[in-house]
Amino acid sequence: MSAKELPIVDLTPMASGDQLAKARLGAELRAACEHSGFFYVAGHGVPESLIDQVFAASKSFFDQSMADKQRLSKSFSAANRGYEALGGQTLEPGAPPDLKEGFYIGEEVPADDPRVVAGAFNTGPNQWPEGVSGFREVMSEYYDRLLLLSRRIMAALALSLGLPEDYFNDFCTQPLATLRLLHYPPQPPKPKPGEKGCGAHTDFGGITILLLDDKPGLQVWSAATECWIDANPIPGTFVVNLGDMIARWTNDRYRSTLHRVINTSGAERYSVPFFYSGALQHEVRCLPGCLEQGESARYAPTTVEGHLREMYRRTYV
C-alpha cells in the first residue's frame, strides 16, 4: 500500500454471515491501522438523504446571527455541549487559533440522570437551537446511525486484531460519543504564520468517523514519507481515523496519526466528525496479541474516562 494513498475499506461483510469475507476485511483493516490509522469506509449503511439533511441543517445553524449562536455557547454547558466561536480552539501548540466554528452534540442525558449527578465526564443535556427547523430531529437520527456504525467498525477492529467479533461489546454499551458540526471559512489570502482551519493534532479517544463535504482540506501526516497527504472527499464514504486510546490499547501497534485542515478551496467548507470514545468505565489495558514475547506494555491500565481526563489535562491545563 502506497504511503500516499489511504485505503477504502468496504464494511459490507460485517452485515453478513460470510466469515471468509469478514476475515479478509479484518486483514485489510489491520494493514490500514498499522500503516496510518486512517482509511475511508464504504458500505456504511447511512442513507445519503440523511447526510444531505445533516449538511443542510448544519449550514442553517452557522448562517444564524452571532447573537443567536452565542446563546448556545458551550460555556453554559458542564457537558461541553453547544456552540464554539471562530478561533475558540487552538489545536496546534504555538500556532494561531483555528479558523473554524463548531457545535457540539452528545447523548441527550437529563440533568437528574445518575451519571450527570455523579459528574460523569462530558455527560449531560444538549443545547438545541430554536431557530433551525428540524435541527434536533436530524442530528438525533444521525447520532443514532453513527452509534450503530461505530459498533460495526469496532467489531471489524476486533477481527483485525485476531479477537472475537463481539470482543468490544461491553466497550460499546452506553458509550460516550460526540457529534461535532464544523464550519471553515476560506483560508485568508494572507494568513498569519501557521494559521489554518484546524491545527495539526491527534484525536484523544477511540475512533473518529468524519463526514466531509465536497471541498478538499483534510491532510494526514505520513511518517514514512515525512509529508502531508491530501485526504480528499470520496463520494459515498466516511473517513475514519484511530484516536490515542486505540494506540494505547494496542501498545502503539495501531497508529493515531497527526492530521490538520487547510481550507484552500476558496469557499465555505463544512465537515462533521463523530468522536466515539466508548463506555466511560471500560478498562483500557494492553489487548491480547499486542505484545511480543518478552515485551512490556508501554502504558499502565486505565479506564476510558481516566484516559480522556488525562488527555484533557495535558491539553487544557
Side-chain angles (χ1 to χ4, degrees):
M1 178 170 54
S2 169
K4 292 187 177 181
E5 297 175 358
L6 301 179
I8 301 175
V9 177
D10 188 346
L11 287 176
T12 303
M14 297 307 297
S16 75
D18 188 338
Q19 298 305 315
L20 186 58
K22 288 182 179 181
R24 286 195 296 265
L25 169 59
E28 291 175 19
L29 198 52
R30 183 180 185 93
C33 292
E34 291 180 341
H35 177 262
S36 67
F38 264 86
F39 48 93
Y40 296 88
V41 293
H44 49 72
V46 180
E48 196 65 34
S49 58
L50 178 58
I51 287 171
D52 291 342
Q53 290 176 328
V54 167
F55 277 128
S58 178
K59 184 178 186 304
S60 293
F61 173 80
F62 289 118
D63 282 348
Q64 294 182 112
S65 70
M66 182 55 67
D68 285 339
K69 290 184 287 190
Q70 288 285 20
R71 288 190 187 99
L72 302 178
S73 170
K74 69 186 188 73
S75 64
F76 301 141
S77 169
N80 203 37
R81 312 285 176 79
Y83 176 67
E84 182 174 70
L86 191 73
Q89 187 175 42
T90 305
L91 281 170
E92 185 174 331
D98 294 349
L99 292 171
K100 67 179 189 303
E101 58 179 339
F103 189 79
Y104 294 72
I105 302 165
E107 179 189 359
E108 186 63 43
V109 184
D112 59 357
D113 185 282
R115 289 174 288 165
V116 180
V117 174
F121 185 78
N122 279 2
T123 302
N126 290 298
Q127 301 191 81
W128 297 107
E130 295 179 358
V132 183
S133 178
F135 183 93
R136 179 170 181 170
E137 292 76 14
V138 167
M139 296 307 168
S140 297
E141 181 181 353
Y142 185 74
Y143 182 94
D144 289 344
R145 289 274 191 170
L146 268 287
L147 283 180
L148 294 174
L149 177 57
S150 298
R151 192 179 183 98
R152 189 182 306 175
I153 292 171
M154 290 305 301
L157 283 173
L159 295 177
S160 78
L161 289 161
L163 300 170
E165 185 177 333
D166 62 357
Y167 188 86
F168 292 117
N169 279 6
D170 288 345
F171 171 75
C172 295
T173 300
Q174 206 170 58
L176 177 71
T178 302
L179 177 63
R180 191 175 182 191
L181 312 178
L182 293 175
H183 167 229
Y184 297 88
Q187 183 82 354
K190 295 182 179 180
K192 300 172 186 175
E195 190 173 37
K196 55 186 76 73
C198 179
H201 67 287
T202 59
D203 293 342
F204 291 163
I207 59 174
T208 302
I209 304 174
L210 177 61
L211 174 61
L212 299 173
D213 69 3
D214 58 355
K215 310 297 190 302
L218 176 63
Q219 297 182 327
V220 178
W221 180 250
S222 168
T225 60
E226 297 188 341
C227 67
W228 291 99
I229 301 168
D230 291 323
N232 292 331
I234 298 175
T237 70
F238 291 100
V239 175
V240 175
N241 67 278
L242 308 181
D244 298 336
M245 190 170 68
I246 299 293
R248 177 177 188 150
W249 226 343
T250 60
N251 215 38
D252 291 331
R253 291 287 190 275
Y254 282 9
R255 293 178 179 269
S256 175
T257 299
L258 280 171
H259 50 287
R260 67 184 188 182
V261 173
I262 304 178
N263 182 19
T264 57
S265 68
E268 308 295 316
R269 180 181 183 273
Y270 299 86
S271 69
V272 186
F274 183 81
F275 301 99
Y276 188 81
S277 297
L280 284 173
Q281 298 312 310
H282 193 82
E283 185 181 54
V284 179
R285 177 190 294 270
C286 186
L287 291 167
C290 290
L291 284 179
E292 300 292 341
Q293 188 172 0
E295 187 181 12
S296 299
R298 298 179 182 182
Y299 307 97
T302 186
T303 61
V304 169
E305 182 168 12
H307 168 80
L308 292 174
R309 289 189 183 278
E310 178 185 340
M311 293 296 101
Y312 271 72
R313 278 195 302 271
R314 290 185 191 178
T315 303
Y316 295 113
V317 178

